[in-house]
Amino acid sequence: MIRQDRIIVEVRVNEFASRQYNRNVPWSPQEIAADAKACYDAGATLIHYHGRRPNGDQDHDLGFYLRTNRLIRDACPILIHPTLGCVANEPDALEKLQLVDDMMVDPRGAPDLVPTNVTSVSTSAHWATSLPVGSTEVLYRCSDDVLAQVTDRLNQHGLTQYLVSWNVSCTRHINRFLEAGLIPEPAFLCFMLSEGGVLSGHPATPEGLQAHLIFLPKDRHIEWTVACHDGDLFQITDLVIKAGGHISIGIGDHPYSAYGEPTNAQLVEWVVAQARELGREPASVEEARALLGMTDALAPPPPSLEREVHA
């Protein structure tokens, strides 16, 4: 029996974050695995991480993911959700799918969930009041055709999609794919709120959250979680918990400097304590798998992709 009073706490350990504002951001496979263990012990069920080089640059090499996932599994049974460089991002979406195929060759190095950005959205940061403004353009491009290919391949592997919704348009788009039967249920949907200079997501306010929930289909089996890019998610964690949602938080999204220099494990501890005060317990890995309808066995890669991977 699935316990509806359980909450999945995801920790987003590093993203693109530097160590300028919080020195606790993990970069290396060893640091990420140690963080995973500490967060699991604090009550997290799921870890999301980005591949990083020793200087903090992004690293989407297969070897990094395999080493990191193996180390995490040696440390604890937490569910693993690596970024894979935003798998449904054109024009390299199929290349990212190849990375998933390669990872699935080794069950210890394979992911449990794979992120998918649904519809195209600009996540450029804007800091000024007049144009031109912002950083180098960051654009997630995803056509329906590519999303369908990604979904089909992930379904073949028995992997759970982590559907990212930046705004109401994304949420409505996800519902259309659910109606068409292209995305299996239960679906796992992340409302990506945003603060700072990123205007793509709804703000981390009651109104920003409610706008998503208004358009969340009531006749579909959807488990939803909330993250906040470059903003303090604690502004609305109580509302999310009371509404039956899950929490995705970490110093990868925001340094949480208002609280000193917290570790990811400390953020998890605070979320778990708040959830318990509001009558919800952190889900175990087994309970989270049941809530998300996750399969236990990893499907083999397509025959044309079977090969030994050394990393």
Side-chain angles (χ1 to χ4, degrees), residues 13-63:
V13 296
N14 60 5
E15 296 295 299
F16 299 100
S18 74
R19 292 173 173 168
Q20 179 180 0
Y21 302 106
N22 192 321
R23 60 190 167 186
N24 296 309
V25 178
W27 287 347
S28 71
Q30 293 78 10
E31 291 168 343
I32 294 171
D35 234 29
K37 176 63 163 62
C39 292
Y40 173 78
D41 290 343
T45 311
L46 174 60
I47 180 173
H48 174 65
Y49 73 87
H50 282 225
R52 305 291 290 271
R53 294 192 172 97
N55 65 354
D57 289 346
Q58 294 287 294
D59 185 354
H60 299 304
D61 179 71
L62 171 64

Side-chain angles (χ1 to χ4, degrees), residues 144-163:
D144 287 354
D145 288 343
V146 167
L147 182 59
Q149 291 182 65
V150 169
T151 299
D152 181 65
R153 186 74 63 82
L154 298 184
N155 290 344
Q156 289 180 39
H157 284 307
L159 291 169
T160 296
Q161 273 193 96
Y162 184 97
L163 302 161

